[in-house]
Amino acid sequence: MTTILVPYHQDVRLADDDIPVRADTTVRPELPDGDVWSQVAAVCGATADAVAPVVAAGRVPTVFSGDCLVAGGVVAGAQRVGVDPAIVWFDAHGDVHTLETTTSGYLGGLALRVVTGAHPDRYADGFGLRPLAPERAVLVDARDLDPAEAEYLETGRTGRIPVSDVSAGTVPPGPLVLHLDVDVIDAREVPGLRFPASQGPTTDAVLAACARLLATGRVVAVSVACPWWPARDDDERAVRARLISRLSS
C-alpha cells in the first residue's frame, strides 16, 4: 500500500500529528495568494500530482486528508493517467450543497457536488479535474441531510444507499475511487469530529463495506477525510491512531 498524507483542512495546514499516519509521501504545496477556492485548487492539484504516478504503476494509493474537498484531487490524479473512475462516497452528510443552497457557507458541504460538476470555475478548472457525471457517484449513508440536499438526492441522478447494501452490484460499473469521511462512523466511536452525527454505523460495519469494494479489484484509489478538531487528550489521540491504523492496513 502507498500512503499519501495531505495535511490540510481546506486551505488550513494541519499540525503534523493531526492525522497519525506514517506516509510514503506528504503533500505540502505552496499556496497562492487569492481566495480559499484558489488555495483548495492548489492542494487538490498537488494531490493529483502525488496520486497519478502511483495509479500509473498499478498500485492503489490511500490518501489521508483533513477535508472531503481533497477527493477531487484523488479523482483527477487517476484521470491524468487514463483512468475514468466513478466515486463511492461514504459520509454522514450529503456534501451536495451548492453556493446557492448552503446555509452555513462551509465549503466541505459542497464537496461531492463540485466533484460532480457544480461551480467548475471555482473548483475543477483550477486543477484539471474532469467532473464526474452525477450518476457516476453514489452516496453511502448520508443520514444527516439538509432539506436542499434531500431534495437534490430525491430528484437527481446521484444514488444513495446504506452501508449494509454496499456491494459490487450497487455501485457504478468500472473503476472506482473509494472516498471515506470518517464521520460516517457513529460519533460515539470517533471523538472530536467537526460535524458529528449520531445513530450511525459502527467502525466494523463501515470497514467491512469498504473491504467488499476493495475485493472487487476495481478500486484504483482510496481517499480518507478526517475532519476532526485537534485532539484534546491522549485518549482521543489513541482512538484516532487505532482508527487510522485499521484504515491503513
Side-chain angles (χ1 to χ4, degrees), residues 91-109:
D91 206 306
H93 310 94
D95 290 0
V96 290
H97 272 299
T98 66
L99 290 173
E100 292 75 31
T101 65
T102 179
T103 55
S104 67
Y106 177 66
L107 296 189

Side-chain angles (χ1 to χ4, degrees), residues 71-249:
V74 178
V75 174
Q79 290 175 337
R80 289 184 185 183
V81 294
V83 179
D84 184 22
I87 195 162
V88 183
W89 193 281
F90 287 73
D91 206 306
H93 310 94
D95 290 0
V96 290
H97 272 299
T98 66
L99 290 173
E100 292 75 31
T101 65
T102 179
T103 55
S104 67
Y106 177 66
L107 296 189
L110 285 68
L112 178 55
R113 195 70 178 272
V114 292
V115 169
T116 56
H119 311 299
D121 55 324
R122 307 263 187 134
Y123 183 74
D125 293 352
F127 57 97
L129 170 68
R130 298 190 300 279
L132 305 182
E135 63 269 23
R136 295 285 288 161
V138 61
L139 259 171
V140 180
D141 190 64
R143 63 189 178 273
D144 187 1
L145 297 173
D146 292 334
E149 293 181 300
E151 180 180 359
Y152 172 76
L153 291 170
E154 287 173 3
T155 59
R157 294 174 289 162
T158 294
R160 178 187 172 207
I161 59 175
V163 167
S164 58
D165 284 3
V166 171
S167 70
T170 58
V171 299
L176 301 169
V177 167
L178 192 167
H179 172 72
L180 173 66
D181 184 332
V182 297
D183 71 18
V184 71
I185 300 167
D186 191 282
R188 290 172 296 182
E189 296 190 23
V190 185
L193 293 167
R194 291 173 184 262
F195 301 101
S198 61
Q199 300 182 331
T202 65
T203 302
D204 287 346
V206 169
L207 294 185
C210 292
R212 292 195 295 274
L213 292 183
L214 290 166
T216 67
R218 293 164 48 200
V219 175
V220 298
V222 178
S223 166
V224 180
C226 303
W228 47 42
W229 298 108
R232 294 168 293 186
D233 52 41
D234 288 343
D235 288 343
E236 203 162 273
R237 278 187 282 272
V239 170
R240 293 177 181 184
R242 285 195 295 271
L243 175 59
I244 292 295
S245 178
R246 296 185 68 185
L247 290 167
S248 303
S249 61

